[in-house]
Amino acid sequence: MVSTHPTGVQHSGSQYLPQRHDTSANSSPNQELLPLTARVHHHDLLEIGGCDVTTLVEQFGSPLYILDEETLRSACQQYRDAFKQYYKGESQVLYASKAWNCLAVCAIAASEGMGIDVVSGGELYTALQAGVSPDKIYLHGNNKSREELVLAINSGVTIVADNWYELRTLVEIAQPAQPIRIMLRLTPGIECHTHEYIRTGHLDSKFGFDPNDLDEVFTFVSQQPALNCVGVHAHIGSQIFERQPHQDLAAVMVQWLRDATKYGLNITELNVGGGLGIKYTESDDPPSIEEWVKAICEVIQEACVAENLPLPKLLSEPGRSLIATACVTAYTVGSSKVVPEIRTYVAVDGGMSDNPRPITYQSVYRAVVANKMSFPLTQTVTIAGKHCESGDILIKNALLPKTESGDILVVMGTGAYNYSMASNYNRLPRPAAVIVANGEANLILQRETYQDLIRQDRLPERLKNSH
Ligand code: LLP
């Protein structure tokens, strides 16, 4: 069976190459499947960032995360430029580093003028070590520990207060002479269509203050000299394609700004969170970065005019749409198994430990074979991981050329929530990650070794030689 397009054109892996030559579309990286620098060279070989993917695997091992610097920087620039173009006030984009928090990614985001959103002491520590300026770091979390709060206060970052427990702890820790810069996270009560686990804006969410408590929260904060409340924050969910929920959110948030003035609070920052989706498959059709930013800016500006409010500093915190498309994961094909009349399993040397999204959210991915980019797509197979778990399936119904062991399978769109959610399940060492640009590849995360795997293990004396 050769996969044939209705026009009669045969399909190959090349169909997934970036479309950005279509400038009329004003497209952004989140609307592509492969990174912007992806090309086919020598007829069949996939190149990213000027580097041949199969050579990268030979050099750095398999599996391998390959991060394209140009795609990441381009997404950062598009956010920055869009806010500059569509927002008349001050703005700041924060990279939601939970998508992929490591030194190199934080450093690139910061060099593109992004602030950084962190959600734990570990992410905060990494951002600080990467040299990110504390005044551009915002700490989130629905259950920050006292240690995390102290680290944040001592580092001078802004704390996004999530609940009463946290506000009271902050008041206990605070030195009135040095007020703590905080924002308030509120739950806006906005529904959006995305996976239940990544929806956060509906009222039944573990995050943020209930908007019905607004009066009490604003009253409390306005009476605490040790708390310098500068803004309000909300985040409604992730992998969202509609623009309306964020527009509704923007309108609700301007009402919060208006309400805050009644309590004498000088709230000058408004953070609409992240959530713009990306294209994981050909049928996904997310708006561009520019379209998303424009939609939000328009609502905020109109609502501020209607309420006669000065424009707040507008913050947003995209994660996935900044980094997901910039990265692919290269695996080596190993065994395969044909179950007659049912399916063919093709197994790779990674799986749910390096990409837990399919088993967690039933996420759908697409793949190409890096050494067979122009081969016709002749088979539909199931890409299995190597974990001892039947559910460890990376892709159901992947349309691929005929594969053999040793082929390099490249799964696209793995920059967000892959490495950051990776585990050592079955004691698999986490893969290495390289950044590629202009034909050069640099290691940004070293491959774990077996020694790394037992680094935290302790064998009590009495268990030694006990057998
Ligand atoms: N801000 C806050 C407060 C968030 O909780 C999140 C994501 C973001 C920003 C960034 O959202 P993004 O632009 O990436 O959609 N592990 C899940 C996604 C969890 C999202 C958590 N919060 C996944 O793999 O789909």
Side-chain angles (χ1 to χ4, degrees):
M1 176 195 74
V2 172
S3 154
T4 310
H5 198 262
T7 55
V9 178
Q10 243 181 38
H11 269 184
S12 71
S14 302
Q15 71 180 300
Y16 297 122
L17 290 174
Q19 302 298 309
R20 72 176 171 154
H21 50 267
D22 177 9
T23 47
S24 62
N26 247 348
S27 68
S28 53
N30 66 315
Q31 298 177 307
E32 302 288 354
L33 284 161
L34 275 165
L36 300 182
T37 61
R39 316 251 179 285
V40 173
H41 73 106
H42 291 90
H43 198 61
D44 282 325
L45 300 178
L46 177 63
E47 173 189 295
I48 297 177
C51 298
D52 173 61
V53 168
T54 59
T55 311
L56 288 174
V57 172
E58 274 164 30
Q59 235 178 314
F60 295 97
S62 176
L64 182 66
Y65 296 102
I66 302 170
L67 175 63
D68 181 41
E69 187 168 341
E70 184 177 321
T71 307
L72 173 56
R73 288 193 184 276
S74 164
C76 293
Q77 284 155 15
Q78 290 196 17
Y79 267 106
R80 238 182 25 218
D81 292 350
F83 276 105
K84 218 175 275 166
Q85 184 177 352
Y86 295 106
Y87 196 63
K88 298 194 186 81
E90 207 186 331
S91 61
Q92 175 68 59
V93 182
L94 312 176
Y95 164 55
S97 71
K98 71 208 74 183
W100 192 352
N101 180 288
C102 65
L103 292 175
V105 171
C106 287
I108 291 178
S111 76
E112 289 295 336
M114 309 279 111
I116 306 279
D117 142 16
V118 295
V119 292
S120 67
E123 285 190 357
L124 169 57
Y125 177 77
T126 310
L128 291 169
Q129 291 295 311
V132 181
S133 167
D135 62 357
K136 283 191 169 175
I137 301 180
Y138 289 71
L139 175 65
H140 282 283
N142 69 313
N143 190 22
K144 304 173 188 79
S145 68
R146 192 173 267 261
E147 291 72 26
E148 286 173 323
L149 292 172
V150 169
L151 174 65
I153 294 166
N154 292 343
S155 316
V157 310
T158 303
I159 296 173
V160 185
D162 188 276
N163 52 63
W164 283 109
Y165 171 68
E166 186 179 335
L167 274 186
R168 295 199 180 100
T169 311
L170 284 173
V171 170
E172 267 173 50
I173 307 175
Q175 312 278 339
Q178 278 175 312
I180 304 171
R181 197 172 192 278
I182 65 163
M183 295 183 78
L184 295 169
R185 177 167 183 171
L186 295 150
T187 315
I190 288 172
E191 301 280 342
C192 53
H193 298 117
T194 189
H195 193 284
E196 164 188 18
Y197 292 2
I198 53 179
R199 245 187 273 157
T200 48
H202 53 304
L203 287 175
D204 178 12
S205 160
K206 71 170 182 168
F207 297 103
F209 289 97
D210 187 318
N212 295 318
D213 292 350
L214 206 60
D215 174 50
E216 250 180 291
V217 177
F218 281 160
T219 305
F220 179 85
V221 172
S222 65
Q223 290 167 354
Q224 302 299 328
L227 300 181
N228 172 23
C229 180
V230 298
V232 284
H233 169 281
H235 172 75
I236 55 174
S238 200
Q239 184 60 0
I240 300 170
F241 289 177
E242 307 152 281
R243 267 162 282 179
Q244 195 60 44
H246 279 99
Q247 292 188 299
D248 294 347
L249 171 69
V252 167
M253 293 188 83
V254 172
Q255 300 309 310
W256 295 343
L257 283 189
R258 183 201 57 195
D259 292 347
T261 59
K262 295 184 210 147
Y263 300 82
L265 287 168
N266 184 25
I267 291 205
T268 54
E269 296 191 12
L270 190 154
N271 184 336
V272 295
L276 171 60
I278 74 141
K279 188 181 184 86
Y280 284 106
T281 71
E282 356 15 312
S283 57
D284 288 340
D285 187 20
S288 69
I289 290 173
E290 182 182 337
E291 288 167 331
W292 188 82
V293 169
K294 180 171 182 255
I296 291 170
C297 293
E298 279 175 0
V299 172
I300 290 179
Q301 285 167 161
E302 278 165 28
C304 283
V305 169
E307 297 291 349
N308 202 17
L309 290 169
L311 283 182
K313 176 170 174 179
L314 180 54
L315 278 70
S316 63
E317 44 194 26
R320 191 189 312 268
S321 54
L322 278 180
I323 199 159
T325 315
C327 183
V328 300
T329 308
Y331 301 92
T332 303
V333 171
S335 63
S336 59
K337 175 181 176 181
V338 180
V339 186
E341 319 263 307
I342 300 184
R343 77 183 81 245
T344 298
Y345 289 98
V346 171
V348 294
D349 52 354
M352 61 186 284
S353 58
D354 60 77
N355 184 358
R357 298 194 70 256
I359 198 164
T360 313
Y361 315 112
Q362 301 75 49
S363 308
V364 181
Y365 282 87
R366 289 288 183 260
V368 291
V369 177
N371 49 309
K372 294 181 173 170
M373 288 300 286
S374 303
F375 283 40
L377 307 180
T378 50
Q379 55 169 358
T380 299
V381 298
T382 294
I383 308 290
K386 63 174 281 157
H387 292 274
C388 280
E389 184 137 340
S390 300
D392 176 29
I393 299 296
L394 283 175
I395 309 181
K396 290 179 184 156
N397 302 325
L399 186 58
L400 292 181
K402 187 171 164 23
T403 49
E404 296 144 288
S405 51
D407 281 342
I408 303 300
L409 184 97
V410 165
V411 176
M412 302 176 261
T414 58
Y417 308 109
N418 274 228
Y419 195 93
S420 65
M421 290 173 68
S423 74
N424 290 124
Y425 184 43
N426 296 153
R427 289 238 141 164
L428 260 67
R430 267 174 289 214
V434 289
I435 189 159
V436 290
N438 305 316
E440 201 183 305
N442 303 106
L443 200 59
I444 57 169
L445 286 154
Q446 204 164 319
R447 183 177 306 282
E448 284 177 339
T449 61
Y450 290 155
Q451 289 76 28
D452 290 330
L453 294 175
I454 60 164
R455 199 178 49 212
Q456 307 300 345
D457 287 21
R458 297 293 178 270
L459 189 58
E461 247 349 281
R462 66 187 176 79
L463 296 182
K464 288 184 187 162
N465 304 318
S466 61
H467 36 270

